[in-house]
Amino acid sequence: MSVARTIRTARTALPAGLAALTLLLTGAATATPASATTTSLDGTYACSVPSGYVYDGVVFSRTCSGGGSWNSPQYHLRTPVDGLTSCATAPGFTYDAAGSSTSCSLTQGVPSTTFHLRVPVSGMWACSVPSGFTYSATASSLECATVRGVPTTKFLLAR
């Protein structure tokens, strides 16, 4: 290939490459087929909790009752992140405190347990021992109690 042809090819390839990069960065184009992409459900309400999500609240409406005249739960979906207080635990996370709230209840007005999610690290006190960890000490704790006033065990995580 001649030097002149190489320069012309580089001049046309560079703008095309920049245009493609711009489309990818702005979201106008994706590197995967549309059928393989997913939309984040974080912050939306759904009739069930899909894998990879937790929920931080429940509302009752007829939306999920299948056309019935009764109210069914709808879950406020959240992507699990460190420090989120949720109504359920999540794989790959532990929790360092448990609480109680009616916002998580599947029985209207009856408080249920909440969990302060944490990404596990060695040296942190946690209410559960996640997969891949062990523990080097334990302590009695009301912070982890899922039944009010009944102390449970807290674990000092180690790897």
Side-chain angles (χ1 to χ4, degrees):
M1 184 182 287
S2 72
V3 173
R5 182 178 166 116
T6 303
I7 292 171
R8 246 182 279 135
T9 303
R11 276 193 217 152
T12 57
L14 183 60
L18 288 174
L21 181 61
T22 301
L23 287 173
L24 282 172
L25 292 176
T26 61
T30 61
T32 56
S35 61
T37 61
T38 58
T39 303
S40 174
L41 297 173
D42 189 55
T44 64
Y45 283 89
C47 299
S48 63
V49 182
S51 178
Y53 290 89
V54 294
Y55 63 101
D56 66 356
V58 177
V59 296
F60 289 84
S61 72
R62 291 192 175 103
T63 303
C64 297
S65 68
S69 59
W70 61 90
N71 286 331
S72 297
Q74 279 190 292
Y75 304 90
H76 185 248
L77 301 179
R78 297 300 308 272
T79 302
V81 294
D82 191 56
L84 175 71
T85 298
S86 71
C87 304
T89 59
F93 287 81
T94 186
Y95 62 101
D96 63 359
S100 181
S101 173
T102 57
S103 67
C104 290
S105 180
L106 294 176
T107 305
Q108 288 178 309
V110 177
S112 63
T113 305
T114 60
F115 304 91
H116 185 249
L117 299 181
R118 297 298 310 273
V119 173
V121 294
S122 290
M124 85 179 275
W125 285 95
C127 301
S128 66
V129 180
S131 179
F133 283 82
T134 187
Y135 56 95
S136 58
T138 62
S140 180
S141 170
L142 285 173
E143 289 178 309
C144 295
T146 55
V147 176
R148 180 176 258 165
V150 178
T152 57
T153 303
K154 205 166 194 176
F155 305 91
L156 183 59
L157 298 182
R159 268 217 163 156

